[in-house]
Amino acid sequence: MQQYLDLCQRLIDEGVWIDNERTGKRCLTVINADLQYDVAGNEFPIITTRKSYWKAAIAELIGYLRGYDNAADFRALGTKSWDANANENAAWLANPVRQGDDDMGRVYGVQGRGWRKPEGGTIDQLAKIVNNLKKGLDDRGEILSFYNPGEFHLGCLRPCMHTHNFSLLGDTLYLTSYQRSCDVPLGLNFNQIQVFALLALVAQITGHKPGMAYHKIVNAHIYEDQLELMRDVQLKRKPFPAPTLHINPDIKSLKDLETWVTMDDFRVEGYQHHEPIAYPFSV
């Protein structure tokens, strides 16, 4: 929690004002932020200086792992995080490849589970990683990438958290996740939960102990209409200790994640938090 607050303060103290063309807003921006999460110690990195809806973050992650391309499928899991980008993004609404309401196109999990090969067919990156790790193999390329520039025009949004690199040392699994762009007040709240939960889940279904999860953000920013709430409200609050995340031990395979897992299979214990803060969301 403290590293999150430190990043927020760094943005206020050191950030440079940048005009964002996509949203038409200014944002305070810094380059390069490195966060890390102790998954082995189960220190769940959830925001405590405001209420965080952690189930929505994990639901979105499960949707990515299933390769979902429709906002309705994400809603069925328990998150509305793709409603706006699928249905309110003007450029996407005008894109002839869009397949109607809630269609997201070839974004995030679609690339992770069905990356198209030039000669035809697809590559299931996640299945390859899970199969290797189950065998105790790490070929130094256990990489799940959502970043496919050749198909940006086929989706409603370029991926922000774009690459997850797993590393196996003995029986301990580590994760390094890379993010090109991060809306710190809103997005990072989801992103850090997802990095933590991804390592915990993949370690569990491949039979390894989780280690540390490392999270590298290139462009971290606060939009101008979020600044007052962050500076004058959230940063004035004292954080609470980290809670713990508990995952149903019956989740033992990628097929389990693809089929029957729901948010009832996740539980957070000891979560103390301050009141919610309604930060503006930029589409």
Side-chain angles (χ1 to χ4, degrees), residues 171-269:
D171 63 351
T172 302
L173 186 65
Y174 298 83
L175 174 63
T176 306
S177 296
Y178 300 88
Q179 187 166 0
R180 65 171 180 85
S181 174
C182 182
D183 175 341
V184 172
L186 282 178
L188 184 51
N189 177 48
F190 261 46
N191 301 141
Q192 59 190 22
I193 288 173
Q194 290 170 343
V195 171
F196 184 101
L198 178 59
L199 176 55
L201 280 168
V202 174
Q204 180 166 309
I205 67 175
T206 59
H208 299 292
K209 296 186 299 185
M212 296 293 295
Y214 302 98
H215 183 183
K216 177 175 282 293
I217 301 167
V218 176
N219 183 303
H221 51 267
I222 294 178
Y223 285 100
E224 188 169 15
D225 56 8
Q226 300 169 330
L227 180 58
E228 184 176 352
L229 286 170
M230 174 60 73
R231 182 189 59 219
D232 299 338
V233 180
Q234 190 165 357
L235 282 174
K236 302 293 186 183
R237 297 173 173 178
K238 184 178 180 180
F240 293 105
T244 55
L245 174 67
H246 299 275
I247 301 173
N248 185 345
D250 291 334
I251 301 174
K252 297 177 180 179
S253 68
L254 181 55
K255 185 176 181 180
D256 291 341
L257 288 174
E258 293 169 338
T259 54
W260 56 263
V261 171
T262 71
M263 293 311 100
D264 291 337
D265 295 296
F266 302 88
R267 178 169 45 89
V268 172
E269 285 189 352

Side-chain angles (χ1 to χ4, degrees), residues 20-162:
N20 183 257
E21 181 179 353
R22 180 177 66 86
T23 62
K25 298 180 182 179
R26 293 199 312 163
C27 40
L28 276 176
T29 304
V30 298
I31 301 302
N32 192 51
D34 290 297
L35 309 174
Q36 59 184 49
Y37 316 120
D38 184 4
V39 186
N42 201 3
E43 295 181 8
F44 191 49
I46 192 170
I47 303 304
T48 63
T49 48
R50 67 177 177 90
K51 185 176 182 180
S52 172
Y53 299 93
W54 61 269
K55 284 189 176 182
I58 293 179
E60 184 178 57
L61 173 64
I62 298 299
Y64 293 161
L65 299 183
R66 291 178 176 176
Y68 284 168
D69 65 357
N70 192 284
D73 291 327
F74 282 90
R75 286 198 301 276
L77 271 174
T79 180
K80 298 180 180 180
S81 56
W82 280 94
D83 285 7
N85 282 309
N87 298 308
E88 299 175 24
N89 182 327
W92 179 238
L93 294 177
N95 192 318
V97 305
R98 183 173 180 265
Q99 300 295 308
D101 290 349
D102 289 324
D103 180 42
M104 297 158 47
R106 291 188 56 77
V107 298
Y108 281 87
V110 177
Q111 301 293 346
R113 302 305 307 272
W115 185 289
R116 289 171 175 165
K117 298 190 290 184
E119 67 274 21
T122 60
I123 297 172
D124 189 335
Q125 300 177 67
L126 181 59
K128 175 263 186 185
I129 292 167
V130 169
N131 290 338
N132 272 6
L133 294 178
K134 276 189 171 182
K135 299 173 185 175
L137 301 177
D138 176 0
D139 65 6
R140 301 180 187 174
E142 308 303 345
I143 297 171
L144 177 65
S145 179
F146 303 144
Y147 204 79
N148 186 350
E151 294 194 343
F152 284 166
H153 64 295
L154 301 179
C156 64
L157 184 71
R158 289 183 299 165
C160 296
M161 178 88 71
H162 58 81

